[in-house]
Amino acid sequence: MTVAGKLQDFLKAVASETRQRILFLFMDGQERTVNQVARDADLGQSTASENLALLKRGGLVMARREGKEVYYFPDRACIRAMIQELTALLDHCCPPK
């Protein structure tokens, strides 16, 4: 996938208020399962799963499997890289006056 494609997935992932709400759940530094995200964000399990998949594709979260459970947590390195890429793009196309 190209950098532009990754950046588009990142922007799509953060464009949703629901996905922003999910991201803020991780501010405490704790990993969460889909069911925990669903409960804490007051979402159905399938909605939480769908949104976590979009966050993962956008590079905002990663997942690890432990037995039958999948734990999600922020991908800080990717988030930083995407923000740097967006900043570079904006600097290139829209230089400060």
Side-chain angles (χ1 to χ4, degrees):
M1 180 179 289
T2 66
V3 171
K6 288 180 184 179
L7 191 54
Q8 286 176 323
D9 285 345
F10 175 82
L11 292 172
K12 180 179 180 179
V14 296
S16 160
E17 287 183 30
T18 299
R19 289 187 289 278
Q20 290 170 21
R21 192 166 75 235
I22 291 170
L23 280 175
F24 285 124
L25 294 175
F26 294 103
M27 296 295 276
D28 63 4
Q30 301 298 310
E31 297 177 325
R32 285 182 168 72
T33 64
V34 172
N35 290 329
Q36 290 169 324
V37 168
R39 181 195 66 223
D40 295 346
D42 195 28
L43 300 168
Q45 189 274 338
S46 62
T47 301
S49 182
E50 181 179 313
N51 280 284
L52 284 164
L54 286 167
L55 288 168
K56 187 176 177 189
R57 186 169 26 152
L60 289 117
V61 298
M62 293 189 291
R64 69 172 184 84
R65 181 172 292 281
E66 187 175 302
K68 292 184 178 185
E69 295 289 349
V70 177
Y71 290 86
Y72 291 87
F73 53 96
D75 186 345
R76 289 174 177 84
C78 189
I79 293 169
R80 284 187 184 102
M82 289 294 101
I83 290 172
Q84 289 173 348
E85 191 65 40
L86 182 58
T87 300
L89 179 67
L90 291 173
D91 286 345
H92 178 73
C93 76
C94 313
K97 294 182 181 184

